[in-house]
Coordinates of all heavy atoms in Angstrom, one line a residue:
M1 N -26.6 209.3 6.4 CA -27.2 208.7 5.3 C -28.6 209.0 5.1 O -29.3 208.9 6.1 CB -26.9 207.1 5.3 CG -27.4 206.4 4.1 SD -26.4 206.6 2.7 CE -24.9 205.9 2.9
Y2 N -29.0 209.3 3.9 CA -30.4 209.6 3.5 C -30.9 208.6 2.5 O -30.2 208.1 1.7 CB -30.5 211.0 3.1 CG -30.1 212.1 4.1 CD1 -28.7 212.4 4.3 CD2 -31.1 212.6 4.9 CE1 -28.4 213.3 5.3 CE2 -30.7 213.6 5.9 CZ -29.4 213.9 6.0 OH -29.0 214.7 7.0
E3 N -32.2 208.4 2.6 CA -32.9 207.6 1.5 C -34.2 208.1 1.1 O -34.9 208.9 1.8 CB -33.0 206.2 2.0 CG -34.0 205.9 3.0 CD -34.2 204.3 3.2 OE1 -33.2 203.6 3.0 OE2 -35.2 204.0 3.7
M4 N -34.6 207.7 -0.1 CA -35.9 208.0 -0.5 C -36.4 206.6 -1.3 O -35.7 206.2 -2.2 CB -36.0 209.1 -1.5 CG -37.2 209.5 -2.1 SD -37.3 210.7 -3.3 CE -37.1 209.7 -4.8
N5 N -37.6 206.2 -1.0 CA -38.3 205.1 -1.7 C -39.1 205.9 -2.8 O -39.9 206.5 -2.5 CB -39.2 204.3 -0.8 CG -39.9 203.2 -1.5 OD1 -39.8 203.1 -2.7 ND2 -40.3 202.3 -0.7
C6 N -38.6 205.6 -4.0 CA -39.2 206.4 -5.1 C -40.5 205.8 -5.6 O -41.1 206.4 -6.5 CB -38.2 206.5 -6.3 SG -37.8 205.1 -7.1
A7 N -40.9 204.6 -5.1 CA -42.3 204.1 -5.4 C -43.4 205.1 -5.0 O -43.3 205.5 -3.9 CB -42.5 202.7 -4.8
G8 N -44.3 205.4 -5.9 CA -45.3 206.4 -5.5 C -44.9 207.7 -5.8 O -45.8 208.7 -5.7
V9 N -43.6 208.1 -5.9 CA -43.2 209.4 -6.2 C -42.8 209.6 -7.7 O -43.1 210.6 -8.3 CB -41.9 209.7 -5.2 CG1 -41.4 211.2 -5.5 CG2 -42.2 209.6 -3.8
I10 N -42.0 208.7 -8.2 CA -41.7 208.6 -9.6 C -42.4 207.5 -10.3 O -42.3 206.3 -10.0 CB -40.1 208.4 -9.7 CG1 -39.4 209.5 -9.1 CG2 -39.8 208.4 -11.2 CD1 -37.8 209.2 -8.9
P11 N -43.2 207.8 -11.3 CA -44.0 206.7 -12.0 C -43.1 205.7 -12.5 O -42.2 205.9 -13.2 CB -44.7 207.4 -13.1 CG -44.8 208.9 -12.6 CD -43.4 209.1 -11.8
G12 N -43.4 204.4 -12.1 CA -42.6 203.2 -12.7 C -41.4 202.8 -11.9 O -40.7 201.9 -12.2
C13 N -41.1 203.6 -10.8 CA -39.8 203.4 -10.1 C -40.1 202.5 -8.9 O -41.0 202.7 -8.1 CB -39.2 204.8 -9.6 SG -37.6 204.5 -8.7
E14 N -39.3 201.5 -8.7 CA -39.3 200.7 -7.5 C -38.0 200.6 -6.7 O -37.8 199.6 -6.1 CB -39.8 199.3 -7.9 CG -41.2 199.4 -8.5 CD -41.6 198.0 -8.8 OE1 -41.1 197.0 -8.6 OE2 -42.7 197.9 -9.7
R15 N -37.1 201.6 -6.8 CA -36.0 201.6 -6.2 C -36.0 202.4 -4.9 O -36.8 203.2 -4.7 CB -34.9 202.4 -7.1 CG -34.5 201.7 -8.3 CD -33.5 202.4 -9.1 NE -32.3 202.6 -8.2 CZ -31.4 203.7 -8.4 NH1 -31.6 204.6 -9.3 NH2 -30.3 203.8 -7.6
I16 N -35.0 202.1 -4.1 CA -34.7 202.9 -2.9 C -33.3 203.7 -3.2 O -32.4 203.0 -3.4 CB -34.6 202.1 -1.5 CG1 -35.9 201.6 -1.4 CG2 -34.2 203.0 -0.4 CD1 -36.0 200.8 0.0
I17 N -33.4 205.0 -3.2 CA -32.2 205.8 -3.5 C -31.7 206.2 -2.3 O -32.3 206.8 -1.4 CB -32.7 207.0 -4.3 CG1 -33.2 206.6 -5.7 CG2 -31.6 207.9 -4.6 CD1 -34.0 207.8 -6.5
R18 N -30.3 206.0 -2.1 CA -29.6 206.4 -0.9 C -28.4 207.2 -1.3 O -27.7 207.0 -2.3 CB -29.0 205.0 -0.2 CG -30.2 204.3 0.5 CD -29.6 203.1 1.4 NE -30.7 202.4 2.0 CZ -31.3 201.3 1.4 NH1 -30.8 200.8 0.4 NH2 -32.2 200.7 2.1
A19 N -28.0 208.2 -0.3 CA -26.9 209.0 -0.6 C -26.5 209.6 0.7 O -27.3 209.5 1.8 CB -27.2 210.1 -1.6
D20 N -25.3 210.3 0.8 CA -24.9 210.9 2.0 C -25.4 212.2 2.4 O -25.4 212.7 3.5 CB -23.3 211.2 1.9 CG -22.5 209.8 1.9 OD1 -23.0 208.9 2.6 OD2 -21.5 209.8 1.2
S21 N -26.3 212.9 1.4 CA -27.0 214.1 1.7 C -28.3 214.1 1.1 O -28.5 213.5 0.1 CB -26.1 215.4 1.1 OG -26.2 215.3 -0.3
P22 N -29.2 214.9 1.5 CA -30.5 215.1 1.0 C -30.4 215.6 -0.4 O -31.2 215.1 -1.4 CB -31.3 216.0 1.8 CG -30.6 216.1 3.2 CD -29.1 215.7 2.8
A23 N -29.6 216.5 -0.7 CA -29.4 217.0 -2.0 C -29.0 216.0 -3.0 O -29.4 216.0 -4.2 CB -28.4 218.2 -2.0
E24 N -28.1 215.2 -2.6 CA -27.7 214.1 -3.6 C -28.7 213.0 -3.8 O -28.9 212.5 -4.9 CB -26.5 213.3 -3.0 CG -25.9 212.3 -3.8 CD -25.3 212.7 -5.2 OE1 -25.2 213.8 -5.3 OE2 -25.1 211.8 -6.1
V25 N -29.6 212.7 -2.8 CA -30.8 211.8 -3.0 C -31.6 212.5 -4.0 O -32.0 211.8 -5.0 CB -31.4 211.7 -1.6 CG1 -32.8 210.9 -1.9 CG2 -30.7 210.8 -0.7
I26 N -31.9 213.8 -3.9 CA -32.8 214.4 -4.8 C -32.2 214.4 -6.3 O -32.9 214.2 -7.3 CB -33.1 215.8 -4.4 CG1 -34.1 215.6 -3.1 CG2 -33.9 216.6 -5.4 CD1 -34.3 217.0 -2.3
R27 N -30.9 214.8 -6.2 CA -30.2 214.7 -7.7 C -30.4 213.4 -8.4 O -30.7 213.2 -9.5 CB -28.7 215.1 -7.5 CG -28.0 215.3 -8.8 CD -26.5 215.4 -8.6 NE -25.9 214.2 -8.2 CZ -25.6 213.2 -9.1 NH1 -25.9 213.3 -10.4 NH2 -25.0 212.2 -8.7
R28 N -30.1 212.2 -7.5 CA -30.2 211.0 -8.1 C -31.7 210.6 -8.5 O -32.0 209.9 -9.5 CB -29.8 209.9 -7.1 CG -28.3 210.1 -6.9 CD -27.8 209.0 -5.9 NE -26.3 209.2 -5.6 CZ -25.6 208.4 -4.8 NH1 -26.2 207.3 -4.3 NH2 -24.4 208.6 -4.7
A29 N -32.6 211.0 -7.7 CA -34.1 211.0 -8.1 C -34.5 211.6 -9.3 O -35.2 211.1 -10.2 CB -35.0 211.5 -6.9
V30 N -33.9 212.8 -9.5 CA -34.1 213.5 -10.9 C -33.6 212.7 -12.0 O -34.3 212.5 -13.0 CB -33.7 214.9 -10.8 CG1 -33.6 215.6 -12.2 CG2 -34.3 215.8 -9.8
M31 N -32.5 212.1 -11.8 CA -31.9 211.3 -12.9 C -32.6 210.1 -13.2 O -32.9 209.7 -14.3 CB -30.4 210.9 -12.4 CG -29.3 212.1 -12.6 SD -27.7 211.7 -12.0 CE -27.5 210.0 -12.3
Q32 N -33.1 209.4 -12.0 CA -34.0 208.2 -12.2 C -35.3 208.5 -12.9 O -35.7 207.8 -13.8 CB -34.2 207.7 -10.8 CG -35.0 206.5 -10.7 CD -34.3 205.3 -11.4 OE1 -33.1 205.1 -11.2 NE2 -35.0 204.4 -12.0
A33 N -35.9 209.8 -12.5 CA -37.1 210.0 -13.2 C -36.9 210.3 -14.8 O -37.7 209.9 -15.6 CB -37.7 211.4 -12.5
R34 N -35.8 211.0 -15.1 CA -35.5 211.2 -16.4 C -35.3 209.9 -17.2 O -35.7 209.7 -18.4 CB -34.4 212.1 -16.6 CG -34.8 213.5 -16.2 CD -33.7 214.6 -16.8 NE -34.3 215.9 -16.5 CZ -33.7 216.8 -15.9 NH1 -32.4 216.6 -15.3 NH2 -34.2 217.9 -15.6
Q35 N -34.6 208.9 -16.6 CA -34.3 207.6 -17.2 C -35.7 206.9 -17.4 O -35.7 206.0 -18.3 CB -33.4 206.7 -16.3 CG -32.0 207.3 -16.3 CD -31.1 206.5 -15.4 OE1 -31.6 205.6 -14.6 NE2 -29.9 206.8 -15.4
L36 N -36.7 207.1 -16.6 CA -38.0 206.5 -16.7 C -39.0 207.2 -17.6 O -40.1 206.9 -17.6 CB -38.6 206.3 -15.4 CG -37.8 205.2 -14.4 CD1 -38.3 205.2 -13.0 CD2 -38.0 203.8 -15.1
G37 N -38.4 208.2 -18.2 CA -39.3 209.0 -19.2 C -39.9 210.1 -18.8 O -40.8 210.7 -19.5
V38 N -39.6 210.8 -17.6 CA -40.3 211.9 -17.0 C -39.5 213.1 -17.7 O -38.4 213.3 -17.4 CB -40.3 212.0 -15.5 CG1 -40.8 213.4 -15.0 CG2 -41.0 210.9 -15.0
D39 N -40.2 213.8 -18.7 CA -39.6 214.9 -19.3 C -39.4 216.1 -18.5 O -38.4 216.9 -18.7 CB -40.3 215.2 -20.5 CG -40.4 214.2 -21.6 OD1 -39.4 213.4 -21.7 OD2 -41.4 213.9 -22.4
R40 N -40.4 216.4 -17.7 CA -40.3 217.8 -16.9 C -40.5 217.4 -15.4 O -41.4 216.8 -15.0 CB -41.5 218.6 -17.3 CG -41.4 220.0 -16.8 CD -42.4 220.8 -17.6 NE -42.5 222.1 -16.8 CZ -43.4 222.3 -15.8 NH1 -44.4 221.6 -15.5 NH2 -43.4 223.6 -15.2
I41 N -39.4 217.9 -14.6 CA -39.6 217.8 -13.1 C -40.3 219.0 -12.6 O -39.7 220.1 -12.7 CB -38.1 217.6 -12.6 CG1 -37.3 216.5 -13.2 CG2 -38.2 217.5 -11.1 CD1 -37.9 215.1 -13.0
T42 N -41.5 218.8 -12.2 CA -42.3 220.0 -11.7 C -42.0 220.4 -10.3 O -41.3 219.5 -9.6 CB -43.8 219.6 -11.8 OG1 -44.0 218.6 -10.8 CG2 -44.3 219.2 -13.2
P43 N -42.3 221.6 -9.8 CA -42.1 222.0 -8.5 C -42.8 221.0 -7.5 O -42.3 220.7 -6.4 CB -42.6 223.3 -8.4 CG -42.5 223.9 -9.8 CD -42.7 222.7 -10.7
T44 N -44.0 220.5 -7.8 CA -44.7 219.7 -7.1 C -43.9 218.3 -6.9 O -43.8 217.8 -5.8 CB -46.1 219.2 -7.7 OG1 -46.8 220.5 -7.7 CG2 -46.9 218.4 -6.7
M45 N -43.3 217.9 -8.0 CA -42.5 216.6 -7.9 C -41.3 216.8 -7.0 O -40.8 215.9 -6.2 CB -42.1 216.2 -9.3 CG -41.4 214.8 -9.3 SD -41.0 214.2 -10.9 CE -42.6 213.5 -11.4
M46 N -40.6 218.0 -7.1 CA -39.5 218.3 -6.3 C -39.9 218.4 -4.7 O -39.1 217.9 -3.9 CB -38.8 219.6 -6.7 CG -38.1 219.6 -7.9 SD -36.7 218.5 -7.9 CE -35.6 219.3 -6.9
D47 N -41.1 218.9 -4.5 CA -41.6 218.8 -3.1 C -41.8 217.4 -2.7 O -41.4 217.1 -1.5 CB -42.9 219.7 -3.0 CG -42.7 221.1 -3.2 OD1 -41.6 221.7 -2.9 OD2 -43.7 221.8 -3.4
Q48 N -42.2 216.5 -3.5 CA -42.5 215.2 -3.1 C -41.2 214.4 -2.9 O -41.1 213.6 -2.0 CB -43.3 214.4 -4.3 CG -44.7 214.9 -4.3 CD -45.4 214.2 -5.6 OE1 -44.8 213.9 -6.5 NE2 -46.7 214.1 -5.4
F49 N -40.2 214.8 -3.7 CA -38.9 214.3 -3.4 C -38.4 214.6 -2.1 O -37.8 213.8 -1.4 CB -37.8 214.8 -4.4 CG -37.9 214.3 -5.9 CD1 -37.3 214.8 -6.9 CD2 -38.8 213.1 -6.1 CE1 -37.5 214.4 -8.2 CE2 -38.9 212.7 -7.4 CZ -38.3 213.3 -8.5
R50 N -38.5 215.8 -1.7 CA -38.0 216.3 -0.4 C -38.8 215.7 0.7 O -38.2 215.3 1.7 CB -38.2 217.9 -0.3 CG -37.1 218.7 -1.1 CD -37.2 220.2 -1.0 NE -36.7 220.9 -2.0 CZ -37.3 221.4 -3.0 NH1 -38.7 221.2 -3.2 NH2 -36.7 222.0 -4.0
Q51 N -40.1 215.6 0.6 CA -41.0 215.0 1.7 C -40.6 213.5 1.8 O -40.7 213.0 2.9 CB -42.4 215.3 1.3 CG -42.9 216.6 1.4 CD -44.3 216.8 1.0 OE1 -44.9 215.9 0.5 NE2 -44.7 218.1 1.0
A52 N -40.3 212.8 0.7 CA -40.0 211.4 0.7 C -38.6 211.1 1.3 O -38.3 209.9 1.5 CB -40.3 210.8 -0.5
T53 N -37.8 212.1 1.3 CA -36.3 211.8 1.8 C -36.3 211.8 3.2 O -36.7 212.8 3.9 CB -35.5 212.9 1.1 OG1 -35.5 212.8 -0.3 CG2 -34.0 212.7 1.5
T54 N -35.7 210.7 3.7 CA -35.6 210.7 5.3 C -34.2 210.3 5.7 O -33.4 209.8 4.9 CB -36.5 209.5 5.7 OG1 -36.1 208.2 5.1 CG2 -37.9 209.7 5.5
E55 N -33.8 210.7 6.9 CA -32.5 210.4 7.4 C -32.5 209.1 8.1 O -33.5 208.7 8.9 CB -32.0 211.5 8.3 CG -30.6 211.4 8.8 CD -30.0 212.5 9.6 OE1 -30.9 213.4 9.9 OE2 -28.9 212.5 10.0
L56 N -31.5 208.2 7.8 CA -31.4 207.0 8.4 C -30.8 207.1 9.8 O -29.8 207.9 9.9 CB -30.6 206.0 7.5 CG -31.2 205.7 6.3 CD1 -30.3 204.9 5.4 CD2 -32.6 204.9 6.3
P57 N -31.2 206.3 10.8 CA -30.6 206.4 12.1 C -29.2 205.8 11.9 O -28.9 205.0 11.1 CB -31.4 205.4 12.9 CG -32.3 204.6 12.0 CD -32.3 205.4 10.6
H58 N -28.3 206.3 12.8 CA -26.8 206.0 12.8 C -26.6 204.6 13.4 O -27.0 204.2 14.3 CB -26.0 207.0 13.4 CG -26.1 208.3 12.7 ND1 -25.4 208.7 11.7 CD2 -26.8 209.5 13.0 CE1 -25.7 210.0 11.3 NE2 -26.5 210.4 12.0

């Protein structure tokens, strides 16, 4: 299981996004950003998504 706290990464987001893979966490983060009005996901934002995604201990 992986998670990303989107506070500080996506403006206005206060969720913790969890999924079974890092790719799914990032996909959900992109959807969340779009729902919050982010029109363009920049390469820098994608890097922030990757850096903020962590693996939870089993």
Side-chain angles (χ1 to χ4, degrees):
M1 181 68 72
Y2 294 83
E3 76 174 20
M4 181 186 89
N5 183 346
C6 68
V9 180
I10 301 170
C13 184
E14 296 183 14
R15 290 185 56 210
I16 294 181
I17 299 169
R18 291 186 180 96
D20 291 330
S21 70
E24 181 64 14
V25 170
I26 291 169
R27 187 188 74 77
R28 291 178 185 185
V30 168
M31 287 176 31
Q32 181 68 34
R34 290 202 172 120
Q35 289 174 355
L36 291 170
V38 176
D39 294 328
R40 185 168 174 266
I41 307 298
T42 64
T44 301
M45 188 175 278
M46 288 299 291
D47 287 343
Q48 290 173 332
F49 291 166
R50 286 185 202 94
Q51 290 171 1
T53 300
T54 58
E55 186 173 7
L56 297 174
H58 297 279

